[in-house]
């Protein structure tokens, strides 16, 4: 069924001409006007009546489906419209406004009841089409002479084409509409009910109003002939200026505004047709005969019959002026008669009402043109007739003020002579000043339009020449003439009864005054010069004096015009505010006094607040400091300390304003003060007062959120539109708060304005009120817009409602964005995401705003909120849409694929879909609309459905569409972002369809083959993002798809990319981007940095993946790599040369990551690169100069890279400098931290002394990485040639040892300590290094401070040993490293280090002895590892037993005894596997108990594991236990071998005992008792020769072990070696065998061997007790 509309609808044409579509170029506008100008000329005649010929043509049209033809005929009957046009209207409706799917349309057309509803909706659409048709012409006439409009030339050309026949056609159409008979059910079908007839008549009135508005604007620019004037006069007289409608019986109250507009425009057309401006000009130049209406007797006769309705008044007044000017003598009685009739009709009141009804002049050309017309009329009337004959001066001034509100008329007024036109009214009003202040000030307020007029008004009032007073009786202090026409003042007089020292006016003695006697008494006009501004100050002072008396009302009437003038003055020209300071400074006191009286004057209070709004916009701090003392605003009686107190409003007072709202405004239904209050608070909020003042505003905002926002819609209102206005102002205030910058936000628990606002909206009724506003829905907005009588503008109730809903969207979006994360769902989020039936779901309401067409920002903001909710809310948007999901999808895609749609809506739709790919699986499947190929179940091949968003996206990325107006770069970027989301989320079904699409990869990769502008010339940064998304998509495709399975077209594209030297191009372009960022950051800051960062990241990803996953690219060429690697280094250097720039450092960090990855893959190239060292040195120097906090992560990456290329020892100098600086910084920060802990809390807050930037100890910190890098460089420098020279230049070792000593003493900087010890271990392996380390004072830095890292209990227990992981950084690990360092230094330096070694063993003897003894009770790997290190050190020290015996004899004896017992313990544990396994189980249970006691509570009871875990985890647990047992056995074996080797040094050589008869055996102590019985595992049993025999047996059994692993176990191999270290240590054949310190790697199991058993009870065969293990363990 064809839904596409081939002709452009009138609404779409109107949107294009407004500039709200994608067609915004003048040439495109001109093309549309050329295509449609004839249609516009026809006006409403474009829509023809039904005819048989049209029916035949429709029947013969094969391009329209039969159901549409049939339904078109029903539309034609209902609307009385041509059959073919009826089908066109149907097609346009289905394209633009239909809220269903194609499938539902078929059902609707076949079902009677739904089809009737559809007919009525199409009728509404048709009426809107007719209105938009006329609005297009109105738009052309509005701006075709406006030089500021971008399409003025195009509009003007079109108006020239329309000029000839426009009036004739539109006048006939107006007559046709006026005379049209109402439709009936007999002529238009059963659906033409009374309600539809009323709807038809409302449309008829609206079209009449629009036609007359068009004719009025036309005649404002083109002259009307006498015949046309007579014709219009007859026509308007016949239809009573809209009051005598043919169908006037259908008029109801809702239509009164339209009927009035028809009368207004009828009146204005006739007045404009009389050409009063030209008449005035002819009268001034005395050539009245040239006027075209010099002889029109028919008009005279006709106008004599006027006078029965108010609309006649301006027409009669204009005609009186015309006849009086052209023939004053001939028609004076007629003139007098018509003039009196006009005055009796209240012509000036009518003019005021008419101009107010036409609306403001802000963006309303019709209202401005009407004021121009009436201005000419009023000016000439006042010039031609005496003011006294024109009726009330107040009515005249009211009309004049309404006229002067047009922007340009105030300037025109000041340019005319004061004796002509409206200047005469000003002179008359000045004559009664200051007796009557209101008239003059009202007129002067209207004359303020810009700075020039503001200065003229100020000067005018500053130099007053007359002072008018009224006396009921003659005063005593004057003398006069006999005729009482002139008085002279005999004594000076103070004009105001104010106190001494206050501002006053003093009239001097001798002043003359002209006297006129009237009804009020003597009216005296004193010849006295003064400044009216001083008089105004006195008036305000008088009001302050009488504020509590009965005269307050009279004085308020005098002061209010003054305040209104001051408000308009400072709003127009701020520069005069200093001159008005005496007035503005008294407003605060006035506000305080007036709001505290019993019956406050709300209009004066509102004027005061309006003045403060303007002042607050310029100096918010000053206004706040003066205002918060007045008591006007709400305030807190106690300090606000937390959010709960604030939300509860505890201790908060409503202030005078709150009382006024409740007691005065709400009962009356008038809210002038409330409107001013909301604007004032909003202005103060926008002024960014600061945290202290913002706290003062919290009560004001809380009053709004707690008392106003939830209930304002329930208040009483006297004026239509005020409710919507207040709601809009409340949301503007909230929106301003949510958009405050975070600067100056208070810290701690004290709430800020923003946090209070967020919490209130998220958790109180205020949020529900905002939700209710958003829930208004698109239908309600359309109804309000349709009910507006005006033709457009931005001041109608519909526009205010739209603005309010938009603010609600923005506020909600910001609340969700700024709300602190919380596990609990707030009431606002519940209200937003709760599911409801029958269309009440808010998500569905938000989605349906896509149907709104008037303001493109409304659906865009609704989609933006949907995007936010889809990201953060735990709900399914698809489920919320319910049965409307498919229809809403169709509407989204219709707007997305429309070529005239506003581009920003399209971008927002794509961004919403991009988010939905990851967060809304159901919704994205709906939009993808993929169908299984051939309908085969289980098939994995898909096709694009008819309503798939992928087809639209494919069209947007088509290379042939790029550059067209419907596919701008921003939209192209959004489409690629959506595709990237599909690849990133691995939507395989969609990806599989896209891969196989023809030209997909060619279109996708097209942006990468273009030539981008230089970075400094980029005007649309989204082009960079476009290329970045393409690179990421290609990278993901390369990564996920096997190289050989890539699509052929993608392979061709990659080949083209390689052969076209695009790798080289993009490498160079990335370099230019990097350089540009570095340069612009130094000058004016970085623009489009995020896009630059994104494209560099994408290029990095593509480069890495192309290197590792794609074959046959230039990236695999060593020559190419050799060329590009220095460029990458250069890019890093460019960024790091700007060390204080955050953007540059981010890019530098990204390039460092790329460097690290490529170093691994291109290692062979890097080794031969000639120019690598220079960039690396430059990078290092930049890193060293940068701020520590900014460069922390970047430094880590740079040093990691340097570690990877540590074969370059030339870098050692820079690294050692870094190590030295970082060590010194660490010393400072550690000492500072210690001082801070020791300093009492009352430290002076003004203290400014501080150490350099705080150095943090981190695993990947710069200092730690630098130490590791230095270690690697020293290891690479095997002969020590380089590092010796460096150490001579830089005392790095002393700095390291100083920092190490301080860290050990304070037990801080664990990572640094470990890294430093590793460096010292590396240095100590060579003689030169060991000498340097020892000479730098390592024993002084480590020996005593090392005591701080462990605690030795006084009872010698082993609580000091940790059960932490062996590899985890810990202080016991530092102790073990220190022990290893002492071992290596002693082994390397030997006698040169023996004294230091003895000092070390003496200091730590308790820990050493405790460690040797702890193996019996603690078999953890950590404990065994410390024992291994300890025995290793003792092994080296045992070589110097004589020195040891001399210095520490008692310790030597204790160590020997403990070593013997250690040998016994290890032997027993190695033999008794069951016992060892039991001990390890105890350790495991202890760990679990600790974990359960200290860790968080598990969700499942640990004693009741799941069944699956019980069944599946048994085998894995047993395997883990076997591994743990093996690891402990290996450690015990190592300890046993080193122990025996150490004991060997304490015994004489066997050969020496036999051969040397002089040997003194008393030198050696007895280690093992002479007993061959089996020893027990008991500390009271001394080790014996039986212990050694058992040790040999255990060693032999370890040699012969064979493990046959079961099939369900992984291979666990027993430690075996050709020569067991234990047997090597205890076997006596060799004189002094060397003890092996290493356990060889486990080898493959060997065949079992039987060895003859020695006599020992430990050596009987024993079978494994492990359940399920059939293998027998044999002991030798």
């Amino acid at each position: 069924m064809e839904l596409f509309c081939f002709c452009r609808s009138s609404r779409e044409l109107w949107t294009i001409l407004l500039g709200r579509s994608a067609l915004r170029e003048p040439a495109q506008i001109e093309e549309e006007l050329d295509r449609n100008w004839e249609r516009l000329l026809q006006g409403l005649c474009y829509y023809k009546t039904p005819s048989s010929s049209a029916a035949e043509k429709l029947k013969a049209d094969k391009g329209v489906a039969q159901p549409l033809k049939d339904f078109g005929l029903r539309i034609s009957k209902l609307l009385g419209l041509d059959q073919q046009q009826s089908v066109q209207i149907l097609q346009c409706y289905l394209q633009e406004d239909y809220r269903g799917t194609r499938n539902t349309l078929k059902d609707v057309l076949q079902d009677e009841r739904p089809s009737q509803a559809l007919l009525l909706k199409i009728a509404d659409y048709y009426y809107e089409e007719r209105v938009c048709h006329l609005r297009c012409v109105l738009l052309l006439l509005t701006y075709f002479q406006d030089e500021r409009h971008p399409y003025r030339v195009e509009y003007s050309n079109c108006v020239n084409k329309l000029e000839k026949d426009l009036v004739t056609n539109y006048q006939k159409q107006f007559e046709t509409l006026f005379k049209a008979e109402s439709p009936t059910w007999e002529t238009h079908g059963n659906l033409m009910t009374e309600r539809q007839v009323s709807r038809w008549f409302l449309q008829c009135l609206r079209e009449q109003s629009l036609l007359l508005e068009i004719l009025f604007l036309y005649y404002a620019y083109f002259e009307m002939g006498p015949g046309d004037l007579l014709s219009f006069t007859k026509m308007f007289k016949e239809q009573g200026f809209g009051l005598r409608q043919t169908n006037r019986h259908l008029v109801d109250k809702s239509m009164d505004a339209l009927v009035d507009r028809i009368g207004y425009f009828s009146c204005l057309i006739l007045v404009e047709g009389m050409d009063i401006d030209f008449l005035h000009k002819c009268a001034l130049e005395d050539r009245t005969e040239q006027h075209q209406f010099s002889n029109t007797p028919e008009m005279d006769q006709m106008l004599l019959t006027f006078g029965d309705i108010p609309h006649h008044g301006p027409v009669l007044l204009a005609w009186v002026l015309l006849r009086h000017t052209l023939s004053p003598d001939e028609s004076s009685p007629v003139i007098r008669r018509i003039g009196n009739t006009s005055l009796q009709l209240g012509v000036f009141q009518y003019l005021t009402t008419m101009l107010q009804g036409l609306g403001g002049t802000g963006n309303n050309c019709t209202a401005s043109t009407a004021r121009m017309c009436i201005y000419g009329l009023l000016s000439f009337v006042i010039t031609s007739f005496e003011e006294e004959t024109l009726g009330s001066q107040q009515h005249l001034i009211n009309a004049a003020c309404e006229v002067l509100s047009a922007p340009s008329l105030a300037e025109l007024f000041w340019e005319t002579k004061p004796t002509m036109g409206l200047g005469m009214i000003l002179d008359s009003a000045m004559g009664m000043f200051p007796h009557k202040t209101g008239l003059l000030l009202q007129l002067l307020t209207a004359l303020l339009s810009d700075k020039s007029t503001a200065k003229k008004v100020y000067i005018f009032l500053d130099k007053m020449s007359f002072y008018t007073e009224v006396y009921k009786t003659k005063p005593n202090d004057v003398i006069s003439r006999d005729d009482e026409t002139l008085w002279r003042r005999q004594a000076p007089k103070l004009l105001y009864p104010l106190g001494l020292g206050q501002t006053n006016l003093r009239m001097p003695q001798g002043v003359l005054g002209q006297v006129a006697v009237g009804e009020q008494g003597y009216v005296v006009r004193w010849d006295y010069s003064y400044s009216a501004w001083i008089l105004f100050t006195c008036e305000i002072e008088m009001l302050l004096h009488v504020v509590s008396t009965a005269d307050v009302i009279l004085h308020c009437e005098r002061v209010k015009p003054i305040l209104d003038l001051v408000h308009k003055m400072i709003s127009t020209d701020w520069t005069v505010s200093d001159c008005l300071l005496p007035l503005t400074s008294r407003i605060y006191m006035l506000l305080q006094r007036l709001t505290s009286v019993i019956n406050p004057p709300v209009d004066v209070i509102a004027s005061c607040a309006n003045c403060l709004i303007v002042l607050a916009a310029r100096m918010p701090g000053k206004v706040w400091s003066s205002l918060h003392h007045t008591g006007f605003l709400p305030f807190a009686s106690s300090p606000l300390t937390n959010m709960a107190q604030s939300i509860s409003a505890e201790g908060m007072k409503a202030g005078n304003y709150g009382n006024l709202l409740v007691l005065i405004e709400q009962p009356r239904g008038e809210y002038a003060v409330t409107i001013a209050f909301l604007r004032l608070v909003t202005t103060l909020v926008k002024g960014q007062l600061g945290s202290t003042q913002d706290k003062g505003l919290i009560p004001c905002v809380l009053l709004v959120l707690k008392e106003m926002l939830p209930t304002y819609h329930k208040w009483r209102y006297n004026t239509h539109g005020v409710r919507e206005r207040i709601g809009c102002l409340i949301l503007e205030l909230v929106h301003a708060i949510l958009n405050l910058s975070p600067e100056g936000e208070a810290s701690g628990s004290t709430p800020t304005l923003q946090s209070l606002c967020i919490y209130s909206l998220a958790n109180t009724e205020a949020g529900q009120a905002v939700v209710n506003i958003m829930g208004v829905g698109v239908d309600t907005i359309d109804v309000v817009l349709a009910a507006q009588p005006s033709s457009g503008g931005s001041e109608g109730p519909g526009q205010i409602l739209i603005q309010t809903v938009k603010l609600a969207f923005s506020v909600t979006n910001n609340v969700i964005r700024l709300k602190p994360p919380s596990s609990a769902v707030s009431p606002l989020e519940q209200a937003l995401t709760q599911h409801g039936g029958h269309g009440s779901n808010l998500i569905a309401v938000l989605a349906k705003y896509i149907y709104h067409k008037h303001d493109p920002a409304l659906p865009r903001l609704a989609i933006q909120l949907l995007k936010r909710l889809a990201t953060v809310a735990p709900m399914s948007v698809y489920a919320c849409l319910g049965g409307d999901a498919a229809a809403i999808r169709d509407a989204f895609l219709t707007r997305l694929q429309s070529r005239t749609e506003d581009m920003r809506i399209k971008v927002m739709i794509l961004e919403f879909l991009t988010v939905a790919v990851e967060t809304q699986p159901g919704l994205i499947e709906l939009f993808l609309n993929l169908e299984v190929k051939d309908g085969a179940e289980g098939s994995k091949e898909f096709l694009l459905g008819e309503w798939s968003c992928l087809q639209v996206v494919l069209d947007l990325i088509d290379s042939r569409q790029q550059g067209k107006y419907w596919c701008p770069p921003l939209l192209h970027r959004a489409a690629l972002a959506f595709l990237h989301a599909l690849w990133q989320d691995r939507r395989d079904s969609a990806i599989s369809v896209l891969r196989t699409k023809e030209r997909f990869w060619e279109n996708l990769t097209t942006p990468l083959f273009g030539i981008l502008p230089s970075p400094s010339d980029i005007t649309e940064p989204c082009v960079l993002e476009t290329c970045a998304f393409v690179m990421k998509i290609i990278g993901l495709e390369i990564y996920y798809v096997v190289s050989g399975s890539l699509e052929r077209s993608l392979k061709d594209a990659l080949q083209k990319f390689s052969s076209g030297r695009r790798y080289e191009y993009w490498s160079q372009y990335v370099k230019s981007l990097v350089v540009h960022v570095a340069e612009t950051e130094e000058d004016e800051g970085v623009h489009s940095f995020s896009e630059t960062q994104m494209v560099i990241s994408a290029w990095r990803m593509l480069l890495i993946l192309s290197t590792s996953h794609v074959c046959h690219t230039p990236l695999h060429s060593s020559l190419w790599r050799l060329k590009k690697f220095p460029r990458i280094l250069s890019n890093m250097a460019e960024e790091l040369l700007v060390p204080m720039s955050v953007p540059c450092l981010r890019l530098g960090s990204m390039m460092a990551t790329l460097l690290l990855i490529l170093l691994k893959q291109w290692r062979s190239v890097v080794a031969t690169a000639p120019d690598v060292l220079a960039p690396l040195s430059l990078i290092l120097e930049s890193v060293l100069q940068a701020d520590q906090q900014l460069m922390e992560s970047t430094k880590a990456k740079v040093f990691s890279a340097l570690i990877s290329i540590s074969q370059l020892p030339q870098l050692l100098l820079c690294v050692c400098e870094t190590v030295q600086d970082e060590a010194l910084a660490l010393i400072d920060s550690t000492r500072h931290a210690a001082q801070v802990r020791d300093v009492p809390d009352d430290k002076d807050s003004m203290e400014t002394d501080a150490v350099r930037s705080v150095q943090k100890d981190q695993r990947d910190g710069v200092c730690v990485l630098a130490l590791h890098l230095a270690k690697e460089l020293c290891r690479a420098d095997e002969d020590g040639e380089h590092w010796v020279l460096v150490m001579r230049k830089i005392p790095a070792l002393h700095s390291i040892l100083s920092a190490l000593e301080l860290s050990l003493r304070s037990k801080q900087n664990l990572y640094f300590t470990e890294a430093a010890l590793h460096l010292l271990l590396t240095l100590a392996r060579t003689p030169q290094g060991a000498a340097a380390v020892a000479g730098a004072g390592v024993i002084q830095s480590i020996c005593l401070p090392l005591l701080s890292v462990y605690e030795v209990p006084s009872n010698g227990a082993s609580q000091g040993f940790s059960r932490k992981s062996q590899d985890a950084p810990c202080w016991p690990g530092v102790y073990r490293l220190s022990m290893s360092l002492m071992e290596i230094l002693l082994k390397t330096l030997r006698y040169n280090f023996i004294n230091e070694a003895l000092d070390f063993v003496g200091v730590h003897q308790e820990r050493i002895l405790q460690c040797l003894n702890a193996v019996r009770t603690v078999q953890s790997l950590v404990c065994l590892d410390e024992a291994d290190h300890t025995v290793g050190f003792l092994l080296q020290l045992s070589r110097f037993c004589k020195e040891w015996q001399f210095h520490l004899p008692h310790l030597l004896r204790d160590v020997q005894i403990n070593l013997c017992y250690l040998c016994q313990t290890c032997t027993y544990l190695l033999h008794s596997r069951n016992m060892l396994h039991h001990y390890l189980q105890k350790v495991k249970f202890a760990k679990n108990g600790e974990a359960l006691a200290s860790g968080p509570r598990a969700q499942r009871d640990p004693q009741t594991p799941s069944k699956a875990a019980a069944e599946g985890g048994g085998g894995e647990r047993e395997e883990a236990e076997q591994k743990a047992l093996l690891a402990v056995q290996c450690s015990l074996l190592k300890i046993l071998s080193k122990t025996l080797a150490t004991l060997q040094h304490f015994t004489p050589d066997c050969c020496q005992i036999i051969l040397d008869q002089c040997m003194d055996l008393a030198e050696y102590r007895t280690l093992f008792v002479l007993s061959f019985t089996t020893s027990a595992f008991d500390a009271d049993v001394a080790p014996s020769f039986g212990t050694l025999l058992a040790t040999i047996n255990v060693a032999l059994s370890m040699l012969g072990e064979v493990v046959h692993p079961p099939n369900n176990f992984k291979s666990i191999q027993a430690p075996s070696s050709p020569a067991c270290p234990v047997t090597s240590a205890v076997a006596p054949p060799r004189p002094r065998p060397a003890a092996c310190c290493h356990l060889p790697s486990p080898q493959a199991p060997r065949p079992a061997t039987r060895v003859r058993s020695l006599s020992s009870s430990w050596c009987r065969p024993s079978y494994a007790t492990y359940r399920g293990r059939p293998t027998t363990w044999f002991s030798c």
Side-chain angles (χ1 to χ4, degrees), residues 623-931:
V623 171
W624 168 255
S625 63
S626 302
L627 183 62
H628 82 284
H629 294 296
T630 63
F632 173 69
L633 297 178
F635 60 93
S637 58
S638 58
L640 301 175
T641 57
N642 55 59
M643 183 66 71
Q645 177 194 2
S646 302
I647 292 298
S648 66
E650 178 184 349
M652 295 192 188
K653 308 298 181 184
N656 292 335
Y657 162 70
N659 298 330
L660 187 147
L661 171 64
V662 174
L663 301 177
I664 306 294
E665 290 198 313
Q666 288 184 353
R668 292 182 183 177
E670 301 290 340
Y671 298 94
V673 178
T674 294
I675 291 173
F677 166 79
L678 290 171
R679 286 179 171 166
L680 176 60
V681 176
T682 303
T683 306
L684 290 172
V685 167
K686 290 181 178 179
Q688 296 275 347
L689 295 172
S691 59
T692 304
Q693 292 86 345
D694 280 348
K695 290 179 185 176
L697 285 173
I698 284 180
C700 302
V701 175
L702 193 61
L703 176 70
V704 174
L705 294 173
K706 196 175 180 64
E707 303 296 336
M708 297 174 68
L709 180 55
T711 61
Y712 80 93
H713 60 284
K714 301 177 183 177
W715 296 349
R716 174 189 175 188
Y717 293 93
N718 293 339
T719 308
H720 178 68
V722 176
R723 176 191 286 110
E724 291 75 16
R725 192 177 178 190
I726 288 178
C728 189
L729 289 173
I730 291 174
L731 290 181
E732 284 181 0
L733 170 60
V734 176
H735 187 262
I737 294 173
L738 294 177
N739 282 278
L740 285 174
S741 62
E743 298 176 4
E745 287 286 317
S747 58
S749 60
T750 305
T752 63
L753 275 179
Q754 196 171 87
S755 62
L756 173 73
C757 213
I758 293 170
Y759 186 87
S760 298
L761 291 170
N763 298 283
T764 67
E765 293 180 347
Q768 184 60 50
V770 176
V771 170
N772 293 337
I773 292 173
M774 292 189 294
V776 165
V778 66
D779 294 326
T780 304
I781 292 177
D782 289 345
V783 169
V784 174
L785 286 172
Q788 286 186 169
S790 61
S791 58
S794 58
E795 300 175 352
Q799 283 75 19
I800 294 178
L801 179 58
I802 290 174
Q803 180 65 19
T804 305
V805 175
K806 290 195 296 185
L807 284 170
F809 287 154
S810 184
V811 164
T812 307
N813 191 22
N814 282 326
V815 169
I816 297 174
R817 177 176 60 88
L818 299 172
K819 189 176 79 72
S822 172
S823 58
V825 179
S826 66
L828 175 65
E829 292 170 322
Q830 290 179 349
L832 289 171
T833 58
Q834 65 184 357
H835 290 259
H838 307 291
S840 62
N841 189 281
L842 183 64
I843 297 297
V845 174
L846 292 177
K848 288 180 181 178
Y849 279 105
I850 192 67
Y851 296 118
H852 180 79
K853 299 296 179 67
H854 183 81
D855 186 349
L858 186 63
R860 188 176 73 248
L861 289 172
I863 298 170
Q864 184 181 35
L865 180 56
L866 275 177
K867 183 180 77 169
R868 178 76 60 184
L869 292 174
T871 306
V872 302
M875 54 88 191
S876 168
V877 174
Y878 180 50
C880 294
L881 298 182
D884 297 325
I888 291 172
R889 175 204 61 195
D890 295 352
F892 270 75
L893 294 182
T894 298
R895 299 196 77 161
L896 185 59
Q897 67 189 2
S898 171
R899 292 190 172 184
T900 60
E901 187 58 71
D902 183 71
M903 183 265 296
R904 292 170 294 179
I905 291 182
K906 292 181 171 184
V907 171
M908 189 56 67
I909 291 174
L910 286 172
E911 290 180 356
F912 171 55
L913 295 180
T914 302
V915 168
V917 170
E918 181 180 356
T919 62
Q920 298 292 327
L923 184 70
I924 198 59
E925 289 298 329
L926 173 72
F927 274 88
L928 291 176
N929 192 220
L930 300 176
E931 299 174 354

Side-chain angles (χ1 to χ4, degrees), residues 391-503:
S392 168
Q393 187 183 25
Q394 182 66 62
H395 296 325
L396 186 60
I397 288 181
N398 288 343
C401 290
E402 195 60 44
V403 165
L404 290 170
S405 63
S408 58
L409 293 182
E411 300 177 17
L412 184 62
F413 172 90
W414 289 107
E415 293 173 0
T416 58
K417 298 179 181 178
T419 56
M420 294 179 61
L422 294 183
M424 299 174 67
I425 302 181
L426 180 64
D427 185 67
S428 173
M430 186 176 64
M432 292 301 293
F433 186 83
H435 173 62
K436 295 181 179 180
T437 59
L439 297 177
L440 178 64
L441 297 185
Q442 182 184 358
L443 195 57
L444 289 175
T445 302
L447 287 170
L448 286 166
S449 64
D450 56 12
K451 290 186 176 182
S452 62
T453 57
K455 286 184 169 53
K456 290 176 181 177
V457 170
Y458 180 83
I459 294 172
F460 179 87
L461 289 171
D462 195 46
K463 298 180 179 179
M464 301 295 289
S465 303
F466 301 100
Y467 187 92
T468 302
E469 288 183 301
V470 175
Y471 296 91
K472 292 184 178 180
T473 59
K474 182 179 178 181
N476 298 324
D477 57 349
V478 299
I479 58 175
S480 63
R481 291 182 180 178
D482 296 336
D483 56 2
E484 295 292 341
T485 58
L486 188 67
W487 287 359
R488 179 191 296 273
R489 182 162 294 284
Q490 290 182 313
K493 176 188 177 182
L494 290 176
L495 299 181
Y496 289 88
L498 300 172
L500 295 177
Q502 291 182 309
T503 303

Side-chain angles (χ1 to χ4, degrees), residues 1576-1642:
F1577 187 62
D1578 191 347
D1580 296 333
V1581 178
S1584 64
F1585 276 84
T1587 303
L1588 295 177
L1589 290 175
T1591 302
I1592 295 173
N1593 274 308
V1594 168
L1596 292 174
S1597 69
M1598 300 296 285
L1599 282 173
E1601 273 186 357
V1602 178
V1603 178
H1604 297 291
N1607 293 332
N1608 59 339
F1609 281 84
K1610 296 181 181 178
S1611 176
I1612 305 176
Q1613 300 174 0
S1616 59
S1617 62
C1620 181
V1622 178
T1623 55
S1624 301
V1626 299
R1630 290 174 292 175
R1632 192 178 288 272
C1636 178
C1637 297
H1638 306 284
L1639 184 66
S1641 301

